[in-house]
Amino acid sequence: MSETCLPFIDLQAQQARLGDRIEVAISRVLKHGQYVMGPEVAAIEKELAAFAGVRHAISCASGTDALVMALMAWEIGPGDAVFVPSFSFIATAECVALVGATPMFLDVLPGTFDLDVAGLDSAVAAAKKLGLRPRVVIPVDLFGLPADHLAVAAAASRHDLLILDDAAQGFGGSLDNRRVGCFGHATATSFFPAKPLGCYGDGGAVFTDDDDMAERLVSVRVHGQGCDKYNNVRIGLNARLDTIQAAVLLEKLTVFPEELEARQRIAERYTAALGRCVETPAARPGARSAWAQYTIQVEDREAVVAACKAAGVPTQIYYPIPMHAQTGYAGYPQVPGGCPVSDRLAKRVLSLPMHPYLSETDQDRIIAAVRLAA
Ligand SMILES: Cc1ncc(COP(=O)(O)O)c(C=O)c1O
């Protein structure tokens, strides 16, 4: 083992930069005492909506809640089919199962990891054959790389599907100079600490331009409330974002654009150094990734992991099992032809350390370790 092990994501470096400001912001909340739905919650929602270029950002308790809230607000439930890429974090399908609807797994594209829209027509036909109503498609901006939102929109409109963008990893990215958050009928994101914009616990938000949807989301977030808190017009959740987390996010949002630039520089440096020995990730033309992860593809993953480990370089496998092969989800249908790309990616992907405070010296150490084995 060489020098000390690098962190995979260095939250302490950001803390050293923003810690004083965040402590002041938190103590402000402690002083006013409005821990639930305090003024910082409305303030962060306004800032987030402006950042994404949409009319509404409804904050909530996690990215998973954001996905569930959107489906609940659209009254998706038993008998409904929701089309999801198999290669994603489990919450992308879990939210569908939680509302009693049926997730149908589609495959993904091998270079950009996003939904293979070409499969949507046959998936819709297969869902109908099973007696399901096709209702929603959930593209995922996996690893921060924006999905092919224009292709998704075209295919979804052919089948009258609602689009829920799972941007848990993608918030901060853009496509044709439009920020992620504006592409679906609704977009869900996560503020889990390791996400590009993370808080100090769990948090999330739903973005939408639809005023009526925004109203329903606000209701779903607090027990399906109607005109007041003891008037309940629908089934809902307790899914509010804590005021303290909103205060943290307000501070972090001020440096977010700069951090995104730093991630972009690191990704470019990785790609320049590794592009010839491994398959490197690339955003599609016109797209800018949020670089939640920098995920390479390698033939002999075990060898690369071992070389990195010996050099004190942590790596992660996102994700070792595609969702259609997960025990809890094996009973759900797949697109005709199955998901062979997802199966293959699960064996080949490897995520390298990525955060905005990664020094060039550490980047070089990571690059050298990968090159040694790839
Ligand atoms: C693609 C994707 N969707 C949804 C989620 C769920 O977000 P959370 O952990 O905030 O519930 C995550 C979190 O990792 C994710 O990566």
Side-chain angles (χ1 to χ4, degrees):
M1 179 73 70
S2 64
E3 317 98 285
T4 50
C5 190
L6 296 173
F8 186 70
I9 293 180
D10 189 356
L11 294 175
Q12 289 310 318
Q14 190 198 46
Q15 172 63 16
R17 177 180 180 190
L18 294 180
D20 290 349
R21 281 165 55 186
I22 291 177
E23 275 181 36
V24 170
I26 291 176
S27 31
R28 219 177 288 131
V29 177
L30 299 183
K31 281 207 186 86
H32 69 54
Q34 294 177 60
Y35 303 127
V36 174
M37 298 311 279
E40 286 79 0
V41 174
I44 192 64
E45 289 182 339
K46 198 165 163 223
E47 298 277 335
L48 289 169
F51 188 92
V54 293
R55 289 170 61 77
H56 307 279
I58 292 94
S59 63
C60 61
S62 71
T64 306
D65 279 347
L67 291 164
V68 171
M69 278 168 50
L71 295 177
M72 288 176 78
W74 284 330
E75 299 182 350
I76 304 303
D80 292 335
V82 177
F83 304 96
V84 300
S86 178
F87 192 67
S88 179
F89 180 65
I90 201 69
T92 308
E94 182 183 51
C95 63
V96 181
L98 280 172
V99 299
T102 302
M104 180 178 262
F105 296 111
L106 272 77
D107 211 358
V108 295
L109 297 169
T112 43
F113 309 105
D114 59 323
L115 187 82
D116 183 357
V117 181
L120 197 59
D121 292 345
S122 62
V124 165
K128 285 182 179 165
K129 260 197 195 151
L130 291 171
L132 298 167
R133 285 180 303 270
R135 295 288 308 278
V136 181
V137 56
I138 308 186
V140 179
D141 305 307
L142 201 68
F143 306 140
L145 297 159
D148 192 351
H149 289 293
L150 301 185
V152 172
S157 76
R158 279 202 299 280
H159 300 289
D160 226 1
L161 299 175
L162 290 161
I163 302 167
L164 172 56
D165 179 18
D166 181 346
Q169 302 181 20
F171 187 62
S174 63
L175 187 59
D176 297 335
N177 293 318
R178 294 166 68 208
R179 284 230 168 93
V180 164
C182 74
F183 293 106
H185 296 97
T187 297
T189 198
S190 164
F191 303 127
F192 183 77
K195 296 289 189 269
L197 180 64
C199 55
Y200 282 177
D202 280 305
V206 188
F207 300 86
T208 186
D209 266 324
D210 178 341
D211 296 349
D212 188 44
M213 173 66 169
E215 226 178 278
R216 277 177 278 143
L217 286 164
V218 165
S219 164
V220 167
R221 174 172 66 182
V222 188
H223 304 293
Q225 71 182 14
C227 54
D228 70 54
K229 112 180 176 179
Y230 298 115
N231 169 260
N232 307 97
V233 296
R234 55 174 61 78
I235 309 291
L237 303 166
N238 174 2
R240 293 167 292 220
L241 179 73
D242 292 341
T243 308
I244 285 179
Q245 301 301 350
V248 170
L249 286 169
L250 279 167
E251 296 305 321
K252 291 203 183 188
L253 192 59
T254 61
V255 298
F256 189 44
E258 213 182 283
E259 292 186 341
L260 288 167
E261 290 301 324
R263 286 176 185 271
Q264 176 68 24
R265 280 195 300 277
I266 295 164
E268 283 171 12
R269 212 155 168 275
Y270 273 158
T271 300
L274 295 173
R276 271 198 218 102
C277 54
V278 299
E279 203 171 319
T280 50
R284 56 176 30 83
R288 190 76 185 248
S289 179
W291 297 113
Q293 302 295 339
Y294 186 90
T295 302
I296 58 173
Q297 295 179 51
V298 289
E299 275 310 316
D300 190 350
R301 185 165 63 191
E302 265 177 40
V304 180
V305 170
C308 287
K309 199 167 173 202
V313 171
T315 53
Q316 297 284 345
I317 297 170
Y318 302 123
Y319 297 94
I321 307 176
M323 293 194 294
H324 70 268
Q326 294 282 2
T327 309
Y329 293 78
Y332 289 117
Q334 294 177 44
V335 63
C339 303
V341 179
S342 301
D343 288 324
R344 192 170 132 78
L345 285 174
K347 295 195 179 80
R348 287 170 53 88
V349 287
L350 190 66
S351 298
L352 305 180
M354 167 54 87
H355 62 83
Y357 302 95
L358 194 60
S359 69
E360 291 200 354
T361 313
D362 289 345
Q363 292 166 41
D364 290 342
R365 190 169 146 196
I366 295 159
I367 289 163
V370 174
R371 274 185 165 168
L372 205 62

